[in-house]
Amino acid sequence: MKSKIFGVKRRVLYINPVVIEGVDPFKGYLSQFKDPETELEVTSLTEGPRHLRYYSYGSLVVPKILKIIKKAEKENFDAAVIGCFYDPGLREAREIAEKLVVTAPAEASMHIAMTLGKRFSIIVGGNKSIPLMRENVIKYGFQDQLVSFHAIGMEVLNLQRDPAETKRRVVQAAKKAIELEEAEVIILGCTQQFGFYKELQNILGVPVIDVALAALNYAEFLIDLRNNYGWYCSKKNEYLPPPNEEIKAWNLLDLF
């Protein structure tokens, strides 16, 4: 499925699955790193939580994400990125997408990390984030490569308010992971740690993965695999979609 916009090879929708107050910084930031042949759009929720720290917040946004996914496919996007390191609704979105590529930061970052080194550490804002993230590590099959989580004691909404302090705390935690735990790759475990990777990489001397960039570039890669070779998520078992007859009979169209 090629994009219908002349001169554009890929159309990617980056979804912030939260409400963004003020100007959304992700469009400008991600646009610096996208492929020239990629058209990037960024959207966010109009109502709901400002972060997804709590399980209950995450459950509230999944239905909204699914609606955005279906709308993106109808509008001929090639891929959608669910822009949170919890990867909320990723499996559900893949289940209902027909040919739309869907990915998210945690899955993309871990796959990339495993091509750059054999052991990685994830730096997070607070300890509350770790249980769900650990579940995802196990679900994606990387538990043997994860050496540690390190929390830097900062709330999600504060990570960009004092960049110097955020970077100081990340360096402190990452050095421990590298020197004491033999981590070879550092993953910044929140999309709100965007923009820090290059400086941190220079200081630490190992790959430091900006998860928003990882998800965007991974989406571009997956689009090319689909377009060039027909490689797309199997609908055989895990991503087998619900039958249209049930959706219509049970009046579930609004949910999709």
Side-chain angles (χ1 to χ4, degrees):
M1 182 177 71
K2 298 284 187 178
S3 169
K4 292 183 173 62
I5 295 183
F6 179 77
V8 175
K9 186 176 180 181
R10 311 177 198 87
R11 297 188 71 211
V12 177
L13 179 66
Y14 186 93
I15 304 166
N16 278 313
V18 293
V19 174
I20 301 293
E21 296 179 332
V23 178
D24 190 326
F26 280 92
K27 178 66 180 290
Y29 178 65
L30 294 173
S31 293
Q32 303 173 61
F33 301 94
K34 71 177 183 65
D35 187 275
E37 292 187 308
T38 295
E39 178 191 273
L40 174 67
E41 294 296 330
V42 175
T43 190
S44 59
L45 303 188
T46 57
E47 60 180 3
R50 273 59 173 172
H51 62 74
L52 300 183
R53 183 184 184 193
Y54 304 102
Y55 295 130
S56 48
Y57 287 1
S59 68
L60 292 175
V61 303
V62 171
K64 301 176 190 297
I65 292 170
L66 297 185
K67 288 185 178 182
I68 294 172
I69 291 293
K70 292 304 290 184
K71 184 172 184 286
E73 187 146 47
K74 291 177 182 177
E75 294 179 352
N76 295 313
F77 280 92
D78 293 295
V81 175
I82 302 172
C84 172
F85 197 74
Y86 289 141
D87 292 4
L90 177 59
R91 287 187 295 182
E92 294 87 344
R94 282 183 175 159
E95 184 180 85
I96 66 169
E98 295 176 23
K99 286 295 182 181
L100 182 78
V101 168
V102 186
T103 190
E107 183 194 55
S109 299
M110 291 178 211
H111 279 288
I112 292 170
M114 286 302 90
T115 68
L116 304 177
K118 282 298 182 183
R119 297 163 62 84
F120 65 85
S121 180
I122 300 175
I123 310 299
V124 302
N127 288 318
K128 170 68 175 176
S129 304
I130 294 175
L132 179 55
M133 291 183 184
R134 190 183 302 277
E135 287 181 14
N136 281 339
V137 172
I138 295 169
K139 180 171 66 180
Y140 299 145
F142 295 120
Q143 62 269 29
D144 292 338
Q145 288 75 43
L146 172 70
V147 297
S148 61
F149 283 97
H150 285 280
I152 61 172
M154 297 184 74
E155 298 292 338
V156 172
L157 297 179
N158 291 331
L159 290 170
Q160 289 288 334
R161 290 177 179 168
D162 188 348
E165 178 62 15
T166 300
K167 285 183 279 190
R168 185 191 70 80
R169 295 191 188 194
V170 171
V171 167
Q172 185 179 47
K175 282 185 175 180
K176 179 180 179 181
I178 295 165
E179 295 169 4
L180 302 181
E181 299 159 353
E182 299 184 348
E184 298 175 314
V185 180
I186 298 297
I187 296 176
L188 302 178
C190 181
T191 56
Q192 285 295 325
Q193 294 183 62
F194 71 88
F196 301 152
Y197 84 94
K198 188 174 293 186
E199 185 176 349
L200 295 171
Q201 207 160 251
N202 291 336
I203 295 170
L204 297 169
V206 301
V208 176
I209 296 181
D210 179 315
V211 299
L213 296 184
L216 170 63
N217 294 146
Y218 197 60
E220 292 174 322
F221 170 66
L222 292 176
I223 292 169
D224 290 346
L225 292 183
R226 185 201 64 189
N227 289 349
N228 294 335
Y229 310 116
W231 296 346
Y232 178 72
C233 286
S234 172
K235 295 294 185 174
K236 179 66 175 176
N237 291 312
E238 182 171 14
Y239 298 125
L240 177 71
N244 288 328
E245 295 78 10
E246 287 185 356
I247 293 173
K248 292 177 181 177
W250 299 344
N251 296 318
L252 301 177
L253 287 172
D254 286 346
L255 296 178
F256 296 96

